[in-house]
Amino acid sequence: MDIYVYEITTQSAASGTWSKNTLEIRAGICHQIILASTQSSTTFDFKLIDDKSNVAYDTQRREKTATGVLDDEIVLPVHGIYTMRVYNASSDDTFTGRLLVRDT
């Protein structure tokens, strides 16, 4: 089994939010979400939304609002294109990160 890294290229929030689609993700299990703001004091929430508008992951639901860095180890089956969305950011900051997916 291979592990694929889906980079979250530099994204800048406007009015506390941004969203971007992933590349096509082959069938696999997402094991880690890492997302960092440039300012360590920025708080934010993050969602992964599938191509049918189902919310697959949400920091608010998991009670994991991030401050500076979101580093969450999960077991989430993924396939297809997802929308990554930062929302409720306390400042219009810049974010980078990655999704780690093990193929099945």
Side-chain angles (χ1 to χ4, degrees):
M1 290 192 197
D2 293 324
I3 293 180
Y4 296 92
V5 177
Y6 294 87
E7 293 290 330
I8 301 170
T9 57
T10 303
Q11 296 294 311
S12 297
S15 299
T17 188
W18 64 257
S19 64
K20 179 180 171 87
N21 288 343
T22 65
L23 297 173
E24 178 94 21
I25 297 175
R26 295 176 16 157
I29 305 293
C30 183
H31 285 280
Q32 189 173 33
I33 298 171
I34 300 172
L35 188 64
S37 61
T38 55
Q39 297 179 33
S40 61
S41 61
T42 300
T43 59
F44 61 93
D45 287 300
F46 179 77
K47 285 184 184 182
L48 271 179
I49 305 164
D50 71 14
D51 59 359
K52 294 176 179 55
S53 298
N54 297 310
V55 177
Y57 174 90
D58 186 351
T59 54
Q60 268 194 344
R61 264 196 271 166
R62 296 170 58 89
E63 298 180 0
K64 290 189 177 244
T65 295
T67 302
V69 175
L70 169 64
D71 183 353
D72 198 4
E73 294 184 16
I74 58 174
V75 178
L76 178 66
V78 290
H79 180 264
I81 296 173
Y82 286 76
T83 299
M84 302 174 290
R85 182 172 179 234
V86 164
Y87 66 106
N88 293 335
S90 61
S91 67
D92 288 344
D93 207 342
T94 302
F95 296 83
T96 56
R98 64 182 182 252
L99 306 176
L100 282 86
V101 178
R102 176 172 284 148
D103 71 353
T104 53

